Amino acid sequence: QRRVREAVVSTQSTGQMEEHQRSYDEYIQQRLERGALNQISAAERQNILDGLKKNWEELHLQYQGLSVVTDTAPKKARKERMEAEMRQLEKDIETVEKHKIIYVTDNF
């Protein structure tokens, strides 16, 4: 009985996910038709990705040049700021790499 129940739950979840995907697709299509969203091209996406990676590399090079000893508050703060910036760039790179289709809006 447990396996049957799990299969029913799984089927319901799949159906719900499909319904949510249809709703999302309709929403995106409506926004595209109204001009509220624009899909960036593959070339633009690649340029963004290249820029993010270049920024990370430059920041990493600066980070490697830091003193190993962070004996003062300014040194420690600079190191922590650079680490936070690199983590954010890594998240941004991961997001762009993960999503092949990216929409942008001017309505912020």
Side-chain angles (χ1 to χ4, degrees):
Q1 285 182 349
R2 184 176 180 190
R3 289 183 184 168
V4 172
R5 219 175 302 164
E6 288 173 355
V8 170
V9 170
S10 177
T11 303
Q12 289 174 347
S13 296
T14 301
Q16 288 174 342
M17 287 177 49
E18 289 173 356
E19 179 59 32
H20 290 300
Q21 185 64 46
R22 277 193 293 277
S23 295
Y24 174 76
D25 292 342
E26 288 174 13
Y27 170 78
I28 293 296
Q29 188 60 38
Q30 290 171 357
R31 302 284 295 196
L32 285 170
E33 289 171 1
R34 284 192 264 148
L37 285 178
N38 296 309
Q39 181 177 341
I40 66 171
S41 69
E44 288 173 309
R45 181 184 165 278
Q46 190 59 50
N47 285 341
I48 291 169
L49 192 54
D50 292 343
L52 288 169
K53 287 180 178 181
K54 182 179 180 204
N55 288 345
W56 186 90
E57 289 171 6
E58 289 173 0
L59 189 57
H60 187 255
L61 185 63
Q62 292 175 15
Y63 180 81
Q64 288 178 324
L66 289 178
S67 173
V68 176
V69 178
T70 54
D71 55 351
T72 65
K75 284 182 182 179
K76 184 176 180 182
R78 182 169 187 227
K79 180 180 178 184
E80 289 173 354
R81 179 185 51 78
M82 292 176 88
E83 289 171 345
E85 287 179 28
M86 286 192 305
R87 277 192 304 275
Q88 184 61 52
L89 283 167
E90 288 166 1
K91 286 180 186 178
D92 294 344
I93 289 167
E94 183 180 321
T95 299
V96 174
E97 286 179 336
K98 182 178 173 184
H99 300 286
K100 302 300 179 202
I101 299 173
I102 299 175
Y103 297 102
V104 295
T105 182
D106 293 333
N107 300 339
F108 274 102

